[in-house]
Structure formats: structure tokens, C-alpha cells
Amino acid sequence: MPDLRPFRGLRYDPAAVDDWGAVLGPPYDVVDAAERAALTARSPYQINHIESASGEPAIARAAEQLEQWQRRGVLRRDERPSYYLHEHLFQHEERERIRLCFFVRARLTPWGTGEIRPHEWTMSGPREERASLRRATRADISPVFAIAPDRWGGLGALLADALRRPVVAAGVDAAGDHHRLRVINEPASIAALQAALEAEPVYIADGHHRYESALADREQRAAATEAWTGDEPENFVLMGIVRAADPGLVVSATHRLVHSGQRPPNLVATLRSRFQVEEVGGPSAGPGPLLRRMQEAGGRAPAIGALGLEESRCHLLIADERTRAALPARLPPSWRDLDMALLQGALLEPLLGVDDAALRGGEAMTYTHDAVAAFAAVRDGRAWCALLLNPPALEQVFASADCGDRMPQKSTYFLPKLPTGVVLYSFR
């Protein structure tokens, strides 16, 4: 089972930064240049001064800046090993939600050991840059996001009890989300939480690149050190864990926009030999009717929404045995009920030519989490087809990871991203 330990967190001193919410920010992979500028303008100590560093010179400057903040007392290291409970209040679909996340340091183990399980494939570029930032700062700045099944409810009961502890920091971030932090450092509480945390494997929801970067950094440092014990700080990674049953855990869909090529002739007729095909109105009504029909059908079988398969038409594609029969034999068995795998194997690759090489190039297809934006891209001619997906169920994520078959890239999107800056894990 996973080794999930307390640690002496490196934290912002709320008194030193004036506004604790202003220094928090999203992880690097969802921040563009304009958003980074807006974030860093909020505070000279905004975490994106460090987290978004890209390229060797910028990473070196970020490492020096992190050192300066510690010398000035902006960041202080806790005296006692602790677990950290983060409460995140946010709006989703016009409802207020609260998500509890538990920050630990997790022992790094290679994929395949069964202790910490990935669910998605990654690309090499982001891994290399994250490893460089980790080596330069000698710290984990942003956490890996993991999910604990907590099938017996023991962890949930302990976290409910932990909410009675005093709040040590609170604030509102740039998106208007509210954050509260509590520290748990009593030996009895730590022992109970550690036992509950280590009762089951954990599943990475987001941050596969960060985890693999930490593994690469650990291996490099171990190879360069003669007396490597396995308990050095680099053998662990900062991880935020959310219970699967947490009401604030939101799994969203990632929709596809097709840019390359042109619409093949008789495409809908061809698809009728592979899917059950329904016409669901036109694009003028927006994606709402199509999304509702997708959700209804998705309770019985994988269902994919489409705009652009025919001019000014919306379609629903419902998978059946013909769809599975059209899949390439190389696909793992666990993929045969995944909406995104059926889409890729039965439509995108064989009919539209969007294969693995085209996906790696990044120009044939792009992704969005916003169905309205997907429709707008087709309407404006930026894409000739939008393909909408239902969000996968957590049971699908767990099942795919349990049998060692990672899901296709961009299969899941967990909302909101874990904030960066709540607590850092320093190796010094």
C-alpha cells in the first residue's frame, strides 16, 4: 500500500503576504501568458512567479526567488511534521460546492507496483521541464492530484473530525474561490490518518507529468550519489488527496475539435454501419439539447455528440457491438467501453485520418472543456467538426488503472484544479 507521510510544509506566512488568497494560483498547465501576467500582478509573492517558470534562465531565476522569499520570512517551514487539510469552496453549474483535499508527501514508486496508479498517458516535453524546475528549486511547488477510494469510509470520518481544528490561513483567489487551511500535527491524529490513507492504493487524477518528473529527478539524484538510503526527501512527492465520495469532486468531459482534412463524403451514412445514429436538431439551439440527449443515452451505452458531420446538423452516435467490432485489435480490452477510445478507434482514426502521429503533432485536433466554445469553433470555421463526450465515471478510471491499461490522453478533467501555493514540499 502507498507510503503517505506527514511533512514539514513550507507555507506562506499570511501576515507577511497581506492577502493569502492573492498568492495562490492554478498550476502551470492551465495558465496562459495573459493569465500569468494578471496573476503575478496581484502580489509580488504570487506562486506563479515560481510555478510558471519555463526555460533554463527563467527556472534559475525562480529558484533564486524562492530562496529570497524564505530568507525574508515570506515562506516559513513548519517545525513539526504535519498533514494539511485544504477546504476549497467554488461554484459549479450555479451551485456552491466544497471539496476537501489532504496534502501529504507520497513515496515515489515506479508505475506497475500497484501502490500509486496512473490512469492516463502523458507526453515527454512537460515531464522534462517539470523535472528541471524540481532540481533547481529543490522543492515540489505544485501537488500531484490523487483520489482515495475510501471504500470503508474511515478517511472521511477522520477528515470530518479534522474540520474542527482552527483555520491557519484563509483567502479568496483570482477566480473568486474561497480557500481555508488547517494543520494536523498531533501524533495520535497523524497515526490514525496515516493508517486510513495507507489502507488502499491511490489513483492519480491529475499531475501525471509532475509525478513522472519527480521519479526522473529521484533516479538521477540516486545515480549520482554513492550512499543513497531511499529516505532522502527527493524520494517523496507533494500530493493532494481527495476522497472519491467527496461531493466537491467534479469529473468533467474533454471535447474534441477536428481541424485537419475535410468532411468525407457520405460520412453519416458510413457511421450508420458503426453506430446507432440520431439527428438531434441543429446548431442554432446551442449544445444544450445535444448534451441532454447524450446524458440520457449515456446511462445505457457510450454516447458521442457531434456537430459538423453534415452541414448544419447535430448528431448523436450511440455505440453498440458494431462499434466495438470496428476497433483495432491492438486496443486493450478495458478501452472497449470508453467513449473516447470508441471515438478514436471507430471514427477519428479510420474515417478522418486522425491517428496517433496526427495527435502528437497537435494541429489535427484540439481540446476544450466548454461545449459552447466547441460549437462556436465550428460556427466560426476554426474547426470543421466538434465531437462532444460525456465525462467518464470514476469506476472507469479505477478499473482502467487497476488492470494496468491507462486511458487515452485527455480522457478526464477534474474540476477545479488543485491550487498551487497552499503548501510546498522543500527538500532542504
Side-chain angles (χ1 to χ4, degrees):
M1 290 298 106
D3 183 354
L4 307 172
R5 300 187 185 184
F7 63 104
R8 294 176 58 201
L10 185 65
R11 295 191 291 118
Y12 283 107
D13 180 349
V17 297
D18 295 327
D19 182 352
W20 188 68
V23 301
L24 306 181
Y28 76 99
D29 54 351
V30 294
V31 178
D32 61 24
E35 290 165 335
R36 181 178 186 270
L39 284 166
T40 53
R42 296 192 77 206
S43 171
Y45 307 118
Q46 225 289 328
I47 194 61
N48 267 276
H49 287 291
I50 311 297
E51 164 71 355
S52 292
S54 177
E56 189 174 336
I59 287 174
R61 289 194 298 272
E64 175 56 30
Q65 196 163 32
L66 188 65
E67 290 278 354
Q68 290 178 1
W69 291 357
Q70 293 176 73
R71 288 195 295 267
R72 295 173 185 169
V74 173
L75 288 168
R76 299 181 184 274
R77 193 175 184 191
D78 286 328
E79 292 296 325
R80 297 165 62 183
S82 307
Y83 287 129
Y84 299 87
L85 181 60
H86 170 241
E87 197 175 5
H88 191 163
L89 290 77
F90 62 99
Q91 292 284 331
H92 178 67
E93 295 180 345
E94 300 181 350
R95 285 179 50 203
E96 184 177 87
R97 293 176 180 257
I98 301 175
R99 186 181 67 193
L100 294 180
C101 178
F102 201 60
F103 287 97
V104 307
R105 62 168 181 150
R107 180 178 290 279
L108 289 160
T109 56
W111 301 138
T113 64
E115 299 169 348
I116 296 173
R117 300 180 182 174
H119 83 271
E120 213 171 53
W121 292 105
T122 62
M123 294 176 285
S124 61
R127 290 199 301 265
E128 294 164 3
E129 189 161 78
R130 291 295 98 187
S132 297
L133 182 64
R134 191 179 205 250
R135 283 192 293 271
T137 59
R138 295 208 64 203
D140 284 330
I141 309 302
S142 59
V144 173
F145 183 177
I147 299 173
D150 192 30
R151 294 181 175 93
W152 297 278
L155 179 59
L158 291 168
L159 294 186
D161 180 68
L163 285 173
R164 299 188 180 97
R165 287 170 171 75
V167 172
V168 299
V172 181
D173 67 16
D177 293 358
H178 291 249
H179 302 268
R180 294 193 284 260
L181 181 65
R182 296 170 173 86
V183 177
I184 303 168
N185 53 26
E186 303 86 353
S189 298
I190 285 175
L193 283 163
Q194 192 162 9
L197 284 164
E198 296 176 358
E200 301 172 281
V202 296
Y203 299 81
I204 294 184
D206 190 29
H208 291 79
H209 289 111
R210 287 186 281 279
Y211 191 91
E212 292 176 351
S213 298
L215 270 173
D217 176 55
R218 191 271 304 273
E219 295 305 317
Q220 184 182 65
R221 295 189 70 85
T225 305
E226 291 185 7
W228 189 260
T229 68
D231 280 324
E232 291 81 1
E234 289 88 349
N235 287 284
F236 298 82
V237 68
L238 179 63
M239 181 176 285
I241 300 176
V242 176
R243 295 173 58 245
D246 191 301
L249 180 62
V250 180
V251 188
S252 183
T254 304
H255 310 304
R256 274 67 171 156
L257 294 171
V258 183
H259 305 278
S260 67
Q262 296 178 340
R263 183 188 305 114
N266 304 315
L267 177 56
V268 172
T270 303
L271 286 169
R272 290 188 189 279
S273 68
R274 298 178 174 224
F275 295 87
Q276 301 173 46
V277 180
E278 298 179 11
E279 187 171 323
V280 186
S284 60
L290 182 57
L291 290 172
R292 287 191 290 273
R293 183 69 188 100
M294 286 168 57
Q295 187 175 23
E296 292 170 2
R300 301 185 302 275
I304 299 160
L307 171 64
L309 300 179
E310 286 182 331
E311 191 71 33
S312 300
R313 296 287 190 277
C314 294
H315 292 88
L316 177 69
L317 311 179
I318 302 174
D320 57 23
E321 289 307 314
R322 296 172 303 160
T323 318
R324 295 177 183 87
L327 295 176
R330 69 177 185 276
L331 295 185
S334 66
W335 284 24
R336 294 183 177 269
D337 287 312
L338 296 178
D339 300 43
M340 63 289 299
L342 292 165
L343 170 63
Q344 181 64 32
L347 195 169
L348 286 171
E349 184 170 338
L351 303 183
L352 304 185
V354 183
D355 57 12
D356 289 343
L359 291 175
R360 285 194 296 271
E363 296 179 356
M365 192 167 72
T366 57
Y367 307 90
T368 180
H369 309 294
D370 186 342
V372 173
F375 267 49
V378 175
R379 183 184 63 242
D380 299 343
R382 289 175 284 121
W384 68 262
C385 179
L387 297 162
L388 309 185
L389 294 170
N390 284 318
L394 277 180
E395 291 76 12
Q396 290 179 303
V397 174
F398 293 163
S400 181
D402 286 343
C403 61
D405 298 331
R406 300 196 211 182
M407 299 171 82
Q409 290 179 16
K410 306 293 185 181
S411 293
T412 57
Y413 189 72
F414 291 87
L415 293 174
K417 295 271 189 173
L418 287 190
T420 300
V422 174
V423 61
L424 282 59
Y425 171 48
S426 174
F427 311 151
R428 297 186 186 278

